[in-house]
Amino acid sequence: MKTFILFGPPGAGKGTHAGAITQKYNLRHISTGELLRAEIAAGTKLGIEAKKLMDAGSLVPDSVVEGMIESAYDTVKGVEGFLLDGFPRTIRQAQDLDAILQKRGAKVDGVISLMISDDTIRKRISGRALAEGRADDADPEVIENRIRTYHSQTEPLIGYYKAQGKYHEIDLNEGSIEVNRAKVLSLVAGLG
Ligand code: ADP
């Protein structure tokens, strides 16, 4: 089982490009954000608790997202591996992921980083707010909190994976979705 991480700040295009990668390489896309939104839609206890944090642009507890990841690894069959999107988001989650994978005889095989500037984050998120109807996309203060959370908690992962030689970044500030998809697929093709 291979594990690839689709990394990048909010609005970088992880959800937009995930499908092209998973189809080409027969991977299962696991977006912790999407799984959490499904819990909210289903009105579960977990969803009700997560919603408050998500609406404020803060992270939900590690145990919540890690439980979702472990259950995916233990139940999903018939794929070559997983494309993790939105996880890990902290060094602690990255360390926990290493342990989760080690227990199952797997490892992180590569990190695909879609990089955009803070200004592009603001533009992309406010642009998709109407289209997707996410509460956390509609409020500029929440967007700023997500940008701060990204820089303080998630960005340190770049060094974590660089030190292991697993980090591969492309600049997606410019370009159409089609052009950027081709860039993403050529990066993945080089991962072997
Ligand atoms: P975006 O890429 O726009 O930030 P996501 O769908 O990945 O959107 O995440 C939405 C929200 O879900 C986050 O702001 C956070 O509250 C929560 N979330 C998603 N993944 C994680 C995670 N790995 N750890 C903690 N919280 C998470």
Side-chain angles (χ1 to χ4, degrees), residues 8-11 14 31-34 36-37 50 53-54 57-62 65 85-89 93 125 128 134 136-137 146:
K14 300 187 295 293
S31 158
T32 43
E34 274 175 22
L36 289 166
R37 284 187 288 278
L53 293 160
M54 292 169 74
S58 306
L59 298 182
V60 307
D62 294 338
V65 283
D85 162 357
F87 179 89
R89 246 175 161 96
Q93 289 181 9
I125 295 186
R128 80 179 177 195
R134 278 173 55 176
D136 61 343
D137 283 349
R146 285 156 71 199

Side-chain angles (χ1 to χ4, degrees), residues 158-175:
I158 296 175
Y160 183 84
Y161 288 117
K162 267 189 183 166
Q164 300 177 26
K166 293 178 178 172
Y167 183 81
H168 309 272
E169 181 178 298
I170 40 172
D171 180 338
L172 290 195
N173 279 295
E174 308 288 335

Side-chain angles (χ1 to χ4, degrees):
M1 278 291 197
K2 295 264 183 197
T3 293
F4 296 100
I5 295 170
L6 194 53
F7 180 86
K14 300 187 295 293
T16 303
H17 297 299
I21 306 172
T22 52
Q23 271 177 26
K24 187 154 180 200
Y25 298 96
N26 187 25
L27 305 172
R28 173 62 66 94
H29 177 213
I30 304 179
S31 158
T32 43
E34 274 175 22
L35 292 173
L36 289 166
R37 284 187 288 278
E39 295 282 339
I40 294 175
T44 64
K45 185 162 172 278
L46 190 157
I48 292 163
E49 277 163 23
K51 185 177 189 324
K52 290 181 215 136
L53 293 160
M54 292 169 74
D55 284 353
S58 306
L59 298 182
V60 307
D62 294 338
S63 57
V64 170
V65 283
E66 288 169 13
M68 292 173 159
I69 296 287
E70 290 207 79
S71 111
Y73 272 86
D74 292 340
T75 54
V76 174
K77 305 278 178 245
V79 291
E80 301 291 322
F82 294 91
L83 181 67
L84 305 184
D85 162 357
F87 179 89
R89 246 175 161 96
T90 64
I91 293 279
R92 178 59 199 266
Q93 289 181 9
Q95 291 166 337
D96 291 346
L97 175 63
D98 288 339
I100 289 169
L101 294 178
Q102 202 180 12
K103 258 195 246 164
R104 292 164 176 82
K107 62 176 169 48
V108 172
D109 293 283
V111 177
I112 304 147
S113 174
L114 313 185
M115 200 44 66
I116 57 172
S117 68
D118 290 358
D119 274 345
T120 310
I121 299 176
R122 292 184 186 99
K123 271 186 237 148
R124 293 263 176 87
I125 295 186
S126 44
R128 80 179 177 195
L130 281 177
E132 294 187 10
R134 278 173 55 176
D136 61 343
D137 283 349
D139 180 342
E141 266 182 45
V142 173
I143 297 174
E144 291 311 312
N145 192 34
R146 285 156 71 199
I147 292 174
R148 277 193 299 275
T149 303
Y150 168 75
H151 287 298
S152 63
Q153 304 208 52
T154 307
E155 202 169 49
L157 290 177
I158 296 175
Y160 183 84
Y161 288 117
K162 267 189 183 166
Q164 300 177 26
K166 293 178 178 172
Y167 183 81
H168 309 272
E169 181 178 298
I170 40 172
D171 180 338
L172 290 195
N173 279 295
E174 308 288 335
S176 65
I177 290 182
E178 290 70 26
V179 166
N180 288 346
R181 180 175 300 124
K183 282 193 214 166
V184 172
L185 286 177
S186 81
L187 188 166
V188 180
L191 296 181

